[in-house]
Amino acid sequence: MDAVTGWWDDYFWGSMVVLQVFIFSLLLMVLFGLIGAAAKLSDNRVAQKISAAYTVIFRGTPEILVILLLYFGSAIFLTSVAQVFNPEIKFVDVPPMWAGTFAIALIVGSYATETFRGAFLGVKPGSIEAARALGMSNLQTFVFIRIPEMWRLALPAFGNHMLSLIKDTALISIIGLNETFFVAKQAIGTTGEPFTMYIVVGAIYLGFSTIITLTVMGLEKFGLRTTEGAR
Amino acid sequence: MIFDLSLIADSIPKMLAGIGITFQLMALSAFLGLILAVILLLMRISGKWYLSWPAQVHIYVFRGTPILVQIFIIYYGFPQFEFIRESIFWPILREPFGCAVVALSLNTGAYVSEILRGGVLGVDRGVLEAGSALGLSARHKFIYLTTPIAARLALPAYSNDFISLMKATSLASTITLMDMTGIARTIVAQTFAPYEIFISLAIIYMVLTWGIQKTFGRIEKYLSRYVKP
Amino acid sequence: MTNSASETLIEMQNVDKFFGTFQALKNINLEVKRGEKIVVCGPSGSGKSTMIRCINRLEKHDQGHIIIAGKELTDDVKDIDAVRREVGMVFQSFNLFPHMTIVKNLMLAQRLVRKINKVEARETAMHFLERVKIAEQAEKYPVQLSGGQQQRVAIARALCMKPEIILFDEPTSALDPEMINEVLEVMTDLAKEGMTMICVTHEMGFARSVADRVIFMDAGEIVEEAEPEEFFKNPRNERTKKFLSQILTH
Ligand SMILES: Nc1ncnc2c1ncn2[C@@H]1O[C@H](COP(=O)(O)OP(=O)(O)OP(=O)(O)O)[C@@H](O)[C@H]1O
Ligand SMILES: [Mg+2]
């Protein structure tokens, strides 16, 4: 373990990259999931079909393939767009961080689509009707009744989605994101201790997973308390 | 952007040459993973802390870290140690294929064990009590009541995990294995045509996913003959 | 085992049972002779289920003695197995094995516990299915049967083990009204054949016509114990009176 001394700060900054990717992909994932769920629940046939295709595609394709495709694909696309304006340009480089963030958000978002849809449908009509009967407006009902109830129903699965996201950030190292894997590779180059260096990477991810799990557990308890109090 | 159709026609057979490795990785890891999962489950429900504790640690660690890390630790990490290089496992751990199978089995074993545990916990307590009342021993109850009922309950979740495992075999390409993804990456590096190659490959994987879903759907339907009239 | 009519099959002496700090059974004393039919009634939560579940060790009693057909229930697994072989049980929610056909439901324990071969086990199973008038359903799965039919299968399943005693825990309370009678009929037939029975039920007609004794429980205690005539006509305890007035006015 002595070999790790001197690399701690690199690992720390690598972890910050993981954290950053996680946060941005989480926001995007929620967005994709909500759009997907809304489309599935809508009356619009086309929207339903598109959303269904979205889930089938991203659940049926290996994560690494989605990441590779988005990274290289967007580079080529942007290059050809740029060449329209300036034929001199040979290659537009897409930052792996953004391609990767976008890719894993799309992947996990396809799972979140089902979660959000299920949670929306899981809200008992009784509580909605009761709220209406109390004279709440549509918006009030949505904000004060449906959202909290959906949130409670979706939380356990949502916790799993967050775990998927944090673990999928590791895959972005394949297209060259400078996160903990990258640090480990550099460290191995100088120390010749691959086991030690990758164990540190594993420990960092385990730490992130633990924090997420504990947070979700805490939120679940909180959610339970509020609903029990309401009864 | 125009799709190079002849390139696609050329590359699909090349990529399909790697489907054997994909299938081997999937079948071997699923089989070994299932055995591991059952062992972990038995350890967890044994009621003995010195068995249940290690099982829980395994599950926690393998579910809490990316498979990629697990693969790298086994493939790049283990050879750091002399005693591993001299052990009887070295012929397996020296090869990327062996490492991929070991990593995927350990990983899927952790997930499947939790799925099976869910099934076991889902078995109606009344049914087991009826077994007790008829004088069945704990072992007989486990074999003849808990196991078949839990297996039926766990099947949908297991099918999802099987699909995850199939997709995870593509990570073997990161340790030089020439599965379908490995071949595709080589072709893309040569032709720089990511759209054509990766999209065709994605479609192949989607067909596999569909096949797995259909197969499990069949099994589920057969096993569910007693669930609905 | 002798067959004298006055032989005591079940004996509970000063039995206490706790769930944590909550006392579910308080000083239960009960004696049941061979061939006797006992009906147990009482308000919800009074400990009726707990009492009969102690008799075949689905619950473990904390104090006192329970002796079944001469064997005392202790932690000894051998004795528990022996007792369970002599005591059949029928549950409120049937608890058939959902993944097995009806006839397999009846064969399983015969084969595993009594070590009877397949052919003989099937014969016994069909015999008892005929007795509960349901032989034609033998190859179906439990979900394909009505509640009343399922409960009759459950009774047949218990009978296949040739028990000395059968315990019933509210066998008709999960059934639709039109199915209650088909189950009560089977139980009445069993009683006529001399089976020793303890029956938790609120079917007072059944209690009147079949029971040798009716036991009333409240708050974990046996409050009153009498022959049915006496029990319904002249309940002595206030709690019994109140309970009966509630149940009979329905
Ligand atoms: N496993 C258990 N853990 C804790 N308390 C229990 C348990 N089983 C029963 N009890 C409690 O013991 C008391 C007696 O329960 P029991 O099931 O014997 O009542 P019962 O007379 O059969 O009622 P019912 O008519 O509702 O079936 C109840 O207060 C119940 O809450
Ligand atoms: Mg009860």
Side-chain angles (χ1 to χ4, degrees), chain C residues 101-117:
Chain C
T101 59
I102 300 304
V103 66
K104 293 256 166 65
N105 259 275
L106 272 64
M107 288 164 66
L108 185 74
Q110 293 189 64
R111 307 229 20 213
L112 295 176
V113 181
R114 293 240 185 244
K115 312 275 185 238
I116 292 171
N117 73 44

Side-chain angles (χ1 to χ4, degrees), chain B residues 1-51:
Chain B
M1 224 161 309
I2 298 145
F3 264 46
D4 186 346
L5 288 179
S6 68
L7 177 62
I8 294 178
D10 262 5
S11 340
I12 284 185
K14 279 189 201 155
M15 290 189 287
L16 282 177
I19 205 171
I21 294 193
T22 299
F23 274 137
Q24 283 169 26
L25 285 172
M26 179 174 83
L28 264 175
S29 313
F31 176 71
L32 296 173
L34 187 60
I35 294 176
L36 174 66
V38 172
I39 294 172
L40 289 171
L41 170 71
L42 293 176
M43 286 166 75
R44 274 205 79 172
I45 61 178
S46 67
K48 304 198 173 70
W49 67 267
Y50 55 86
L51 291 177

Side-chain angles (χ1 to χ4, degrees), chain C residues 163-174:
Chain C
E164 301 267 353
I165 304 156
I166 300 196
L167 310 171
F168 292 87
D169 192 357
E170 308 203 32
T172 56
S173 52

